[in-house]
Amino acid sequence: MQNYLFTYEQDFHLEAGGKLPGFELAYCTFGKLNADQSNVIWVCHALTGNADVTEWWGGLFGEGKFYNPEDDFVICANILGSCYGSTGPLSTNPKTGKPYYHDFPKLTVRDLVASLEILRQHLGIRQINTLIGGSLGGQQALEWAVEKPDVCENLILVSTNAKHSPWGIAFNEAQRMAIAADPTWITGGEKAGHNGMAAARAAAMLSYRNYDTYRKTQEDPDNEKIGNYKAAAYQQYKGARLGDRFNAYTYWTISEVMDTHNISRGRGNLIETLEKIEAYTHVIGITSDILFPIPEQRLIARWVKNVTYEEINSTYGHDGFLIETEKLRKSFRAFFRQKKKKLLHHSS
């Protein structure tokens, strides 16, 4: 795995009207780019992910995995607004010489994709063999495939949607309300909103999993308990764990990015927009996902021209897109096998 930092030194104008006076994107690659650049696998990460895809999707990426350095050139960039090396709220504002904190400008999914497109051009990558992402990563991948239909040959979308739902926006707003309720949030400083973010993350877990997940994994074996419940301890643990590696400004910024996702904004209706996608597309839904429910993936699959669709059964709800890597591997393999058969049929 190789780590890099790309610096863009021109003004970067944002969809919501602001601008960044340049930006940095931290990105990782593994494998070697082949002579005709036909082995590029570009991964878009989700809300709290980073550029090292082997850390959070290790069941699919790495030595001996479905995508491996012997065959593939894999690239993943940490998104704008994040805190893992790319420009975000903790970065220094060149106008003030201090961190942006609350003054970091509003970003949209289209801004994230525009920065990734700049990086792609900088690297001289003419075409992406497979563009892949789940959740917010899938939102980026879908937006990119619409904005630049000739950039990617294959598109894999897992547990994502074409427009963020009122349900998803409500979950995100509830989390931001938890952050804002932390009295330190208005004071500024690197640790502002820390406890509020822990509460926000605990609330988010209820959308990432579901009733059956908690029943199967957090049920107390002691039938006589009247306190110190396993499920309560789990919520505390999850909130504290994120606080060790993230910050409230970034959590706030990227949750708002998710809310902006709407591939048809300014492009006509949703169906017409989905029909613009040229890539061979594989859409995967998780049957127990309550945050990005199955009808959202079915809608994408219904209107993209060259598409296959699969539903994966999982106990883990939305988090199934990170956990069920063996099922995803089989699904990916089936997609490429079916595509090969289709191309052979058309050429005969």
Side-chain angles (χ1 to χ4, degrees), residues 137-265:
Q139 292 177 335
Q140 296 168 65
L142 185 60
E143 171 65 33
W144 205 351
V146 170
E147 179 66 24
K148 298 288 183 180
D150 59 339
V151 160
C152 66
E153 179 182 347
N154 304 293
L155 177 66
I156 299 179
L157 307 171
V158 188
S159 300
T160 195
N161 53 18
K163 176 183 178 182
H164 209 44
S165 67
W167 176 249
I169 292 170
F171 265 116
N172 285 339
E173 182 64 18
Q175 293 171 66
R176 291 189 291 268
M177 289 171 67
I179 293 173
D182 184 332
T184 68
W185 179 238
I186 62 172
T187 64
E190 186 173 343
K191 294 293 185 179
H194 180 85
N195 291 336
M197 184 180 64
R201 185 62 167 183
M205 288 304 302
L206 303 178
S207 68
Y208 300 154
R209 304 294 174 90
N210 56 58
Y211 179 93
D212 285 337
T213 313
Y214 277 79
R215 181 177 59 82
K216 292 178 180 179
T217 64
Q218 303 303 323
E219 187 76 57
D220 280 293
D222 183 357
N223 194 47
E224 304 304 317
K225 262 193 174 184
I226 56 171
N228 298 318
Y229 298 110
K230 186 178 180 181
Y234 179 75
Q235 296 300 94
Q236 293 284 346
Y237 163 74
K238 280 297 191 179
R241 187 182 179 191
L242 184 70
D244 292 339
R245 66 180 181 91
F246 225 60
N247 70 83
Y249 300 104
T250 292
Y251 202 85
W252 186 292
T253 296
I254 301 179
S255 71
E256 283 194 325
V257 167
M258 292 183 71
D259 294 350
T260 71
H261 178 58
N262 179 0
I263 61 166
S264 64
R265 183 171 57 249

Side-chain angles (χ1 to χ4, degrees), residues 309-324:
Y309 175 69
E310 185 171 354
E311 294 176 7
I312 290 176
N313 293 317
S314 173
T315 300
Y316 296 102
H318 186 60
D319 273 354
F321 90 91
L322 294 170
I323 297 170
E324 303 286 5

Side-chain angles (χ1 to χ4, degrees), residues 258-331:
M258 292 183 71
D259 294 350
T260 71
H261 178 58
N262 179 0
I263 61 166
S264 64
R265 183 171 57 249
R267 295 175 175 140
N269 66 50
L270 198 60
I271 295 171
E272 292 172 343
T273 305
L274 287 169
E275 289 176 337
K276 294 177 181 178
I277 294 173
E278 297 294 333
Y280 281 89
T281 303
H282 187 44
V283 182
I284 301 173
I286 307 292
T287 55
S288 58
D289 190 343
I290 65 170
L291 184 58
F292 289 77
I294 286 294
E296 296 193 325
Q297 290 88 62
R298 289 178 178 172
L299 184 147
I300 297 171
R302 181 178 180 184
W303 298 110
V304 174
K305 289 176 289 189
N306 298 307
V307 68
T308 58
Y309 175 69
E310 185 171 354
E311 294 176 7
I312 290 176
N313 293 317
S314 173
T315 300
Y316 296 102
H318 186 60
D319 273 354
F321 90 91
L322 294 170
I323 297 170
E324 303 286 5
T325 53
E326 178 59 23
K327 292 180 180 180
L328 290 174
R329 182 191 66 80
K330 291 179 180 178
S331 184

